[in-house]
Coordinates of all heavy atoms in Angstrom, one line a residue:
N254 N 126.9 108.2 87.1 CA 127.8 108.2 88.3 C 129.1 108.9 88.1 O 129.6 109.4 89.1 CB 128.0 106.7 88.7 CG 128.7 106.6 90.0 OD1 129.8 106.2 90.1 ND2 127.9 106.9 91.1
E326 N 123.8 105.9 87.7 CA 124.0 104.7 86.9 C 125.5 104.7 86.5 O 126.1 105.7 86.3 CB 123.2 104.8 85.6 CG 123.2 103.6 84.7 CD 122.8 102.3 85.4 OE1 121.6 102.1 85.5 OE2 123.7 101.6 85.9
S327 N 126.0 103.4 86.6 CA 127.4 103.2 86.2 C 127.5 101.8 85.5 O 126.7 100.9 85.7 CB 128.2 103.1 87.5 OG 129.5 102.7 87.2
V328 N 128.4 101.8 84.6 CA 128.7 100.5 83.9 C 129.6 99.6 84.7 O 129.8 98.4 84.3 CB 129.3 100.7 82.5 CG1 128.3 101.5 81.6 CG2 130.6 101.5 82.6
R329 N 130.2 100.1 85.8 CA 131.1 99.3 86.6 C 130.3 98.2 87.4 O 129.4 98.5 88.2 CB 131.9 100.2 87.6 CG 132.9 101.1 86.9 CD 133.8 101.8 88.0 NE 133.0 102.6 88.9 CZ 132.8 102.3 90.2 NH1 133.4 101.2 90.7 NH2 132.1 103.1 91.0
P330 N 130.6 96.9 87.2 CA 129.9 95.9 88.0 C 130.1 95.9 89.5 O 129.3 95.4 90.2 CB 130.5 94.6 87.3 CG 131.8 95.0 86.8 CD 131.7 96.4 86.3
D331 N 131.2 96.6 89.9 CA 131.5 96.6 91.3 C 131.0 97.9 92.0 O 131.3 98.2 93.2 CB 133.0 96.5 91.6 CG 133.8 97.6 90.9 OD1 133.3 98.3 90.0 OD2 135.0 97.8 91.4
A332 N 130.3 98.7 91.3 CA 129.8 100.0 91.8 C 128.8 99.7 93.0 O 128.0 98.8 92.9 CB 129.0 100.8 90.7
E333 N 129.0 100.4 94.1 CA 128.1 100.2 95.3 C 126.7 100.6 95.0 O 126.4 101.7 94.5 CB 128.7 101.1 96.4 CG 127.9 100.9 97.7 CD 128.4 101.7 98.9 OE1 129.3 102.5 98.7 OE2 127.8 101.6 100.0
R334 N 125.8 99.8 95.3 CA 124.4 100.0 95.1 C 123.6 100.2 96.4 O 124.0 99.7 97.4 CB 123.8 98.9 94.2 CG 124.4 98.9 92.8 CD 123.8 97.9 91.9 NE 124.4 98.0 90.6 CZ 124.0 98.7 89.6 NH1 122.9 99.5 89.7 NH2 124.7 98.8 88.4
T335 N 122.5 101.0 96.3 CA 121.7 101.3 97.4 C 120.2 101.2 97.0 O 119.9 101.5 95.9 CB 122.0 102.7 98.0 OG1 121.3 102.9 99.2 CG2 121.6 103.8 97.0
G342 N 119.8 101.3 92.9 CA 120.6 102.2 92.1 C 122.0 102.3 92.6 O 122.3 101.9 93.7
V343 N 122.9 102.8 91.8 CA 124.3 103.1 92.2 C 124.3 104.3 93.2 O 123.7 105.3 92.9 CB 125.2 103.3 91.0 CG1 126.6 103.7 91.5 CG2 125.2 102.1 90.1
K344 N 124.9 104.1 94.3 CA 124.9 105.1 95.4 C 125.6 106.4 94.9 O 126.7 106.3 94.3 CB 125.6 104.5 96.6 CG 125.5 105.4 97.8 CD 126.0 104.7 99.1 CE 125.8 105.5 100.3 NZ 126.2 104.8 101.5

Side-chain angles (χ1 to χ4, degrees):
N254 188 251
E326 186 57 84
S327 173
V328 296
R329 289 189 300 111
D331 61 340
E333 182 183 0
R334 295 186 177 268
T335 186
V343 177
K344 190 171 184 178

